[in-house]
Structure formats: C-alpha cells, structure tokens
Amino acid sequence: MTPDAFITVGATVLTGGFAAWGARSARRTKRQENRDDFTEIKKALREQAAELKGQAAELKTDMARQQDQINGQGAAISWLVVDRRSLVGVIRKAGLKPPVPRPIPERARPYLDSIEL
C-alpha cells in the first residue's frame, strides 16, 4: 500500500468516527438527557404517591376503628354511671344509706364532664 492509501484509510476512519460521535450527539442531546431524568423522577414520584395513598387508606381505616372503640368506651362509661345512679336510687328507696362514692381520679375528670357527674 502506498502512503496515499494509508492517509485515505486514516481519513475515512477518522471521518467515520466523527460522524458516529456527531450522530450520537444529535440523537442524545443534553435536553434529551434532562427529559429522561424528568421521566424517571416523575415515575418515582408517582410510585411514592401511590404508596402514600395506600398508607392514607390504612390510616383512615385505623382512625375509624379507633373512633368506634372510643364511642363504645364512652357508651360503656355512660351506662356504668346510669347503672350506679339507679342502684343508689334502689338502695335509698329501701331505706338504706348507699355507700360513699369513691372520688373521681383527676385523669378521668375531663372525660366525665359530658355525662354530668
């Protein structure tokens, strides 16, 4: 091979390399890279939002269960107070003196205001 052939082959290879690099650069611009990053971030945020939605549904279920439990406890306390009053009434009607009630603990007092003790 002559030196001109080597120069031609070298120039062809070099031109092909630059053409490939240029095609890659044209196909994957910085804006495209940012757009791909945005897509990945958006996908991750959607997954997190779905996960939070599931957690919110669980919290609502727990909150409803706890509210039912509190309502039931309030009804039980009200029933106990009314039952105590009726027992005291029966004892008084029988001509006896009912026992002295125990003091209400300070911790329970705010919760018993609604049932007029």
Side-chain angles (χ1 to χ4, degrees):
M1 279 180 108
T2 63
D4 289 338
F6 284 118
I7 292 174
T8 305
V9 169
T12 304
V13 168
L14 191 61
T15 304
F18 280 124
W21 177 76
R24 168 85 171 110
S25 294
R27 189 173 57 103
R28 301 292 300 176
T29 63
K30 183 67 175 167
R31 188 172 177 186
Q32 180 67 34
E33 298 286 338
N34 290 341
R35 195 174 314 131
D36 288 346
D37 291 344
F38 177 75
T39 304
E40 289 299 317
I41 291 170
K42 189 175 172 182
K43 180 181 174 185
L45 287 175
R46 282 190 178 154
E47 289 173 1
Q48 287 179 354
E51 188 176 306
L52 289 176
K53 222 179 231 187
Q55 290 175 355
E58 289 176 19
L59 288 175
K60 284 181 182 178
T61 304
D62 286 346
M63 189 173 67
R65 183 187 51 79
Q66 289 174 356
Q67 188 63 42
D68 288 343
Q69 184 178 8
I70 289 169
N71 290 341
Q73 290 170 345
I77 291 170
S78 297
W79 179 82
L80 288 171
V81 169
V82 169
D83 190 52
R84 178 176 173 235
R85 284 185 184 160
S86 68
L87 286 173
V88 168
V90 168
I91 292 171
R92 285 193 178 140
K93 282 183 185 177
L96 301 171
K97 188 174 181 183
V100 179
R102 292 184 297 168
I104 299 171
E106 287 298 321
R107 185 173 156 205
R109 195 173 302 277
Y111 302 108
L112 298 176
D113 287 341
S114 63
I115 54 177
E116 301 170 8
L117 279 179

